[in-house]
Amino acid sequence: MSSFSVPVWVAGIVLAGASLSPAWAQSPQPQAPVSNGANTRPVASAYRVTDAVTIDGVLDEGMWLEATPLRGFIQAEPFEGLPGSETTEVRLLYDDEAIYIGVTLHDRDPSLIVTTETRRDADLEDMDSFQMIFDTFHDRQNGFVFGTNVAGIQYDAQVRDQGEEEDNWDGSWEVRTSMSPTGWVAEFKIPLRTLRYGPAPQTWGINFHRNIQRTRERTYWAPLERIYQLSRLTSAGELRGLELGTPRNFKILPYVVGSADRNFFPGSETNLDGDFGGDAKIGITPSLNLDLTYNTDFAQVEVDDEQINLTRFNLRFPEKRPFFLENAGLFTVGKEEEVDLFFSRRIGLDEDGAIVPILAGGRLTGKMGGVNVGVLNMQTEDIRLVSANNFSVVRLSRELPNRSGIGAMFVNRSGTGDLSPSGDWNRTWGVDGRYGVGEYFTMAGFAARTETPGLTGRDYAFNVDSEYNDRTHRVGFEYGRTGEDFNPEVGFLENEDGYSRVHGRYHLTMRQQKIRDWGFREWQPHVQYTRYEYLDGGLSRANLHLDNHWDWENGNRIDTALNGEWEGFREPFEIYPGIVVPVGEHGGLYYRMRANSDQRKWMSAELEWEVGRFLTGTQNSPTLEVVIRQGGRFTLDGTWSYRSINLPEGAFDTNLANMRVTYNFTPSVFVQSLIQYNDRTSRWSTNLRFHVLETAGTGLFVVYNDTESLRGLGPVNRAFIVKYVRQFDLIR
C-alpha cells in the first residue's frame, strides 16, 4: 500500500471529542485550591526527642502524644478536592540517628481493608496502604519514597525529575504495623544514613499518601490534582526546622556463593564452583555516596521474561540487577524504549544474555554544589570470545525552577583484554533538558552523538517532546532524528537503520456526573499517531492508535481500539523460518480489545485480542492473563499469548506462556517460581527462588534453574545456587 495518511473519519472523531460542551468536558465535583506558592504550601515540623523510640507498631510512648499530628488529607480520587472519607493522622519525630513517623489510619470497618501482597516492594496502589516522600534537598524534583500496608511490608523507591518511582532501590529502615477495631497503625524508623541531605538547618519537601482500595480512594496531605502522583514534588508540603547532623556511613556487604551447574550435551559433567566477593557503601558527605563492588554476582536475580520478536528491530529486556538499579534514574538520558545513551545491561552480559564476569567497579552519586553527580566505572574480564572491557559513565545535571533542568552525559567503552583488537572503543556524548511553563506545559529533549572507529556517517540523535496536560486534556507532539551511524554501544537503540520520527497525541479524560450515573468512573477517548521515515525519505513504519478506555467504579475496565501498523521494507525480511516478506509497503488496520475484571478480587483476569491486518496478510492474536490470590500470601499469575499469522508468503503460529507462583511466609521470606514456555525456541524453563531477606537486599538466596528441550524431551541445562549476603555496619 502507499504511504499512510490519517483517514478523515478518524480526524472527525477526535475533533468531535475535543469540541464537546464545557458541561460535558469538565467534572462538576468540588475542587480544592492547589497552589505552589510558598505562603499556601502546608507546613509540618518534627519533634526532637532524646529518648529511644521503640518500633513496634504501637504509638504508646509519651513522645508520640507530644508531637503535633498532621491531618486534613484531601482526595485526589474519586472526588478531587473533598476531604478523605477516613481520618489519617501523621506524627513526626527525630533524633541524631533517624526520622520517626507514626501514622494512625482510622477506618470505620477494618474488615474491608484490602491486602493483595505481603512481599517487600509489592505495588501498594493495589491495596490499602500508606506512603510518604521526602524531598531532602528541597529541589522539588527528586525524593525518597517509603511505604507499607497493613501486613507491614517494606516499600521504598527513588524519584528523579518528578518521574515514575524507581522501586528497585532498597534502603535500610524499619516499619511495624498493628490493627485495632478502629483502623491500623504504622510506625517507621528511617535512619539518616539511608538518606542524603544538605547542611543544617534543613527544610525538606514532604507529602503523605493514603490509599483505600475498596473505594479506590487516593488522599494526600498536600493536595494533588488527580492527574498527578506522589512524585509531584512541586505540589508537596514542607518539613521545616530540622537540625540534622552528619552521620557517618560505612557498610560492607560480603557474599559467598556455591553452585552446581550442568549443560546436557555428550561428554558434559557437572561443574561445582564456589566464589566470594562483595560491595561497600561509603558516605563521603551527607549528600554524596560511594558504592564499590568486587567480583560482582547477581545469582539471586530472576531470569528474563521470554519475548518473541516478529519485527526488524531490537528487543529491550529490563535491567533487574540490584547494583545497576540503584540510582538508575540519574543515568537515564534518551527516548524511552527507543534510545538510551546508557543501558546498564551492556555491562556484564553479552548479546545473548550470557554472563560476562565483572571484576570490580565503583559508583559515586549525589549532589555537589547543587549539581547532581553520577560517576560509574566497571571492569569486566575476558571470557570465551568476549574481550575484557572498561566502562565509564559521567553524568551531571541541575534542577531549575518550575520542573525545569539541564544535564550532560559522557559514556565510554574501551577494550582492555588480550582479545581486544586495535581501535576497540566507543564513546557517546549527550545533553538533555526540560522546561516547565506554568502547571501544565512541559518541553523535554536530548541531543547526542557517538564516536566509533570506522564509522563516518551521520552519528547523531535528538528528540524534542512537548506536552500540555491538565485535568481533562493531554496534548503532545514530538520530533526526532537518529543517524545511520549513531552507535551507542553501551546504550540501547531499537532501530539501527537511521530515521526521522514524528509523533502526535491527544487524550481526553471525561468524569461527568452523567458518566458516573452509568456506573463508570471515567471515559478516556484518545488518539496517537507516530511515523518513522528513512533519512532519505520514504516510509519506514507508522503506528495509529485510536482508543477508548471505559473504567467502571467496581474495578472492571474495557479498552476498545482501532490500531494501524504499516512497514516499509527496502529488503526482504524473514519473519519466520522459511517465510520472507517482500520489499514494499505493507500493513493496515486491525482491531484491539483489552478488558480486565476487578483486580481486588481473589481471582481476576485480563484479555487482550488483536484481529485484522498484519503486513501482507492478517493476524488473530489473543493474550490471556489470570491472577489468583489468597490473603496476600499466595499469588498465581499465569499468561498465555498466541499469535496466528496468515500471510500470502506462508502461515505460522507462535505460543508464549509463563506462570509465576509466589508464596510469602512473611514480608521478608518468600518462595517464587517462574515457569516459561516458548515454541520458537522449543524450550520450557523453570526459575525457582527462595529468599530470606535481612535488610537492603541482603540475606539468604537459594536458586534453581532448569531448561528443558521439547525436541527429544530432554534437559538442556540445570543449575543449583546458594548465596548468602550479610551487611556489616562498621560505624554505628
Side-chain angles (χ1 to χ4, degrees), residues 334-372:
K335 170 62 185 169
E336 186 177 10
E337 303 296 331
E338 295 187 18
V339 181
D340 286 318
L341 302 193
F342 172 63
F343 185 40
S344 57
R345 281 183 64 105
R346 301 299 185 216
I347 303 174
L349 295 171
D350 66 15
E351 294 182 356
D352 298 321
I355 295 174
V356 177
I358 296 175
L359 177 62
R363 177 183 58 224
L364 181 71
T365 55
K367 274 187 182 283
M368 296 177 62
V371 177
N372 300 308

Side-chain angles (χ1 to χ4, degrees), residues 495-537:
N495 182 355
E496 300 176 349
D497 295 332
Y499 59 90
S500 63
R501 176 181 181 274
V502 177
H503 169 83
R505 58 189 180 273
Y506 174 73
H507 191 121
L508 178 65
T509 299
M510 307 177 71
R511 290 190 149 222
Q512 299 68 34
Q513 187 59 46
K514 184 174 182 179
I515 288 179
R516 301 184 67 86
D517 291 342
W518 295 343
F520 294 99
R521 170 167 289 196
E522 64 186 16
W523 175 36
Q524 298 181 24
H526 57 277
V527 62
Q528 63 182 35
Y529 176 66
T530 310
R531 182 181 177 89
Y532 302 81
E533 290 196 346
Y534 293 104
L535 293 177
D536 59 357

Side-chain angles (χ1 to χ4, degrees), residues 159-399:
V159 168
R160 290 280 179 188
D161 303 332
Q162 296 196 126
E164 295 294 327
E165 295 179 6
E166 301 164 7
D167 59 10
N168 290 293
W169 172 71
D170 286 329
S172 297
W173 55 285
E174 299 177 52
V175 64
R176 296 291 185 273
T177 59
S178 64
M179 287 194 67
S180 73
T182 60
W184 59 291
V185 172
E187 190 175 19
F188 297 80
K189 177 183 178 180
I190 314 295
L192 298 180
R193 285 175 295 180
T194 299
L195 305 170
R196 300 174 194 162
Y197 50 88
Q202 295 94 356
T203 295
W204 292 0
I206 192 171
N207 206 353
F208 305 100
H209 163 45
R210 181 180 181 181
N211 194 56
I212 303 176
Q213 187 61 14
R214 63 178 176 270
T215 56
R216 297 169 64 196
E217 178 179 306
R218 292 190 295 119
T219 62
Y220 297 90
W221 173 67
L224 292 178
E225 300 179 41
R226 61 175 170 74
I227 60 174
Y228 301 127
Q229 304 295 326
L230 188 63
S231 59
R232 181 75 172 186
L233 287 165
T234 50
S235 299
E238 292 182 347
L239 177 59
R240 296 178 180 173
L242 294 173
E243 294 284 347
L244 304 178
T246 306
R248 295 176 297 170
N249 186 19
F250 184 17
K251 300 185 182 76
I252 61 171
L253 297 88
Y255 78 84
V256 292
V257 61
S259 64
D261 185 287
R262 183 177 179 183
N263 292 312
F264 287 83
F265 54 83
S268 65
E269 297 181 354
T270 300
N271 179 31
L272 301 177
D273 195 12
D275 210 345
F276 68 92
D279 298 343
K281 294 180 177 293
I282 305 170
I284 306 299
T285 70
S287 59
L288 200 63
N289 275 16
L290 175 65
D291 295 281
L292 302 174
T293 181
Y294 168 72
N295 199 19
T296 317
D297 177 81
F298 304 110
Q300 74 274 24
V301 176
E302 184 183 64
V303 299
D304 288 325
D305 291 350
E306 296 270 358
Q307 300 183 49
I308 294 177
N309 192 1
L310 299 182
T311 75
R312 300 169 287 165
F313 309 112
N314 297 321
L315 292 178
R316 188 183 191 279
F317 290 87
E319 177 64 89
K320 297 183 178 182
R321 298 171 295 173
F323 183 86
F324 293 110
L325 288 170
E326 186 171 347
N327 294 304
L330 176 61
F331 295 96
T332 300
V333 179
K335 170 62 185 169
E336 186 177 10
E337 303 296 331
E338 295 187 18
V339 181
D340 286 318
L341 302 193
F342 172 63
F343 185 40
S344 57
R345 281 183 64 105
R346 301 299 185 216
I347 303 174
L349 295 171
D350 66 15
E351 294 182 356
D352 298 321
I355 295 174
V356 177
I358 296 175
L359 177 62
R363 177 183 58 224
L364 181 71
T365 55
K367 274 187 182 283
M368 296 177 62
V371 177
N372 300 308
V373 177
V375 180
L376 176 74
N377 185 269
M378 306 292 290
Q379 178 66 48
T380 62
E381 300 182 70
D382 284 322
I383 181 172
R384 298 182 297 274
L385 300 178
V386 179
S387 169
N389 280 278
N390 181 265
F391 301 87
S392 298
V393 186
V394 178
R395 168 67 167 155
L396 302 174
S397 66
R398 185 181 182 95
E399 286 80 21

